[in-house]
Amino acid sequence: MNNVLSNAINQILEKIDEEITKIKKSLDRIRITPKKIDLSLAKDDFTWCAIDSSWQTPPVEFIAKTIAIVYTGAYSNVEELNTIEINPFVHEGSNFDVEVYWFSAVKERQLALELIRQTRLDLLILDGTITPSPALASTPWDKVEKILKVTEKLIETAKENKTTIIGVVKRARAQYLSTIANADIPDKLLATALLDYNEYIDLGPLDEVLYSYITTKRHRTGEFLSRL
């Protein structure tokens, strides 16, 4: 029994060693220098707001429809911006998880737009990517277009108010950095190895990054790439 356990542990350690070697080789190919965030530049009256959403799971099955309650909320150091919106989502057919994601993403951006029109913010934090993921390029264009329109208004308003928008990607799905580095490793893993506290990586203009990503990954681009 001890031999079996010992062999299993050795196999795991060998696998970890292989992954570390792969990461090191990938890092050698990257010509990107992390930049420091200067926290001393933050003003005493610095204002921020974070937007997130979630929905009821499991949803309710009711007369051939799937129903869920979608919660969209804002948390801010500006007290009057703290809020929670509750919206019912009724869906008929398949792909409930995909459809409720698009619904919640639009609600997030609509709430964000309403709040930055109401109060000038220094920083707006969104959960996930600012624009739709290019991995969803095969999604019907009407859904992509809907979220792009409200995102465009959000960005335009943020520019007018000099508000910085940040999209927080906490899951290991994004592969922008690894595509540029030509490495088959999630961005989250590469960034963890590259970055120290208060550091970030600038990949350049988002449209150029997305174009490079889509063409390299050879996604089903269709109208998504031409409109991009």
Side-chain angles (χ1 to χ4, degrees), residues 1 4 6 22 35 42 88 98 112 116 134 151 174 177 181-182 190 200:
M1 185 67 180
V4 173
S6 177
K22 186 189 297 184
K35 300 178 180 180
V98 174
I116 66 171
T151 302
L177 177 59
N182 191 28
L190 277 179
Y200 68 98

Side-chain angles (χ1 to χ4, degrees), residues 47 78 80-81 114-121 161 163:
T47 57
V78 180
E80 58 265 28
L81 297 187
E114 177 185 333
L115 295 182
I116 66 171
R117 283 173 171 170
Q118 176 181 331
T119 303
R120 202 205 72 78
L121 289 168
N161 295 347
T163 299

Side-chain angles (χ1 to χ4, degrees), residues 49-68:
C49 182
I51 307 286
D52 197 5
S53 65
S54 186
W55 52 86
Q56 159 200 349
T57 55
V60 176
E61 302 292 337
F62 183 71
I63 313 179
K65 292 181 174 61
T66 307
I67 303 171

Side-chain angles (χ1 to χ4, degrees), residues 131-151:
T131 57
S133 168
L136 300 173
S138 58
T139 301
W141 180 255
D142 61 331
K143 297 189 182 301
V144 180
E145 187 176 37
K146 187 174 183 179
I147 193 172
L148 284 179
K149 282 183 176 179
V150 66
T151 302

Side-chain angles (χ1 to χ4, degrees), residues 53-224:
S53 65
S54 186
W55 52 86
Q56 159 200 349
T57 55
V60 176
E61 302 292 337
F62 183 71
I63 313 179
K65 292 181 174 61
T66 307
I67 303 171
I69 301 299
V70 176
Y71 305 89
T72 309
Y75 180 64
S76 173
N77 64 342
V78 180
E79 189 171 350
E80 58 265 28
L81 297 187
N82 289 301
T83 184
I84 295 178
E85 291 185 351
I86 299 176
N87 294 284
F89 175 72
V90 181
H91 178 63
E92 185 172 359
S94 58
N95 299 323
F96 170 81
D97 290 339
V98 174
E99 297 293 334
V100 74
Y101 160 76
W102 285 106
F103 180 83
S104 64
V106 170
K107 289 298 180 183
E108 285 179 7
R109 284 152 182 78
Q110 288 175 340
L111 177 59
L113 180 58
E114 177 185 333
L115 295 182
I116 66 171
R117 283 173 171 170
Q118 176 181 331
T119 303
R120 202 205 72 78
L121 289 168
D122 293 298
L123 181 66
L124 175 67
I125 306 168
L126 296 177
D127 178 34
T129 57
I130 297 172
T131 57
S133 168
L136 300 173
S138 58
T139 301
W141 180 255
D142 61 331
K143 297 189 182 301
V144 180
E145 187 176 37
K146 187 174 183 179
I147 193 172
L148 284 179
K149 282 183 176 179
V150 66
T151 302
E152 185 177 19
K153 290 179 182 177
L154 178 62
I155 292 173
E156 287 174 354
T157 306
K159 283 183 177 179
E160 292 171 4
N161 295 347
K162 296 184 178 178
T163 299
T164 297
I165 301 178
I166 291 181
V168 180
V169 184
K170 61 182 178 292
R171 296 183 178 89
R173 295 177 182 176
Q175 292 185 342
Y176 300 143
L177 177 59
S178 57
T179 297
I180 292 174
N182 191 28
D184 188 21
I185 298 173
D187 284 0
K188 188 174 182 180
L189 188 56
L190 277 179
T192 300
L194 275 175
L195 299 178
D196 202 349
Y197 289 109
N198 298 332
E199 288 186 342
Y200 68 98
I201 297 171
D202 183 359
L203 297 180
L206 181 61
D207 56 348
E208 294 179 11
V209 173
L210 289 178
Y211 187 89
S212 173
Y213 174 83
I214 292 172
T215 53
T216 301
K217 289 294 184 180
R218 294 181 175 82
H219 279 300
R220 289 171 55 196
T221 55
E223 197 172 8
F224 189 95

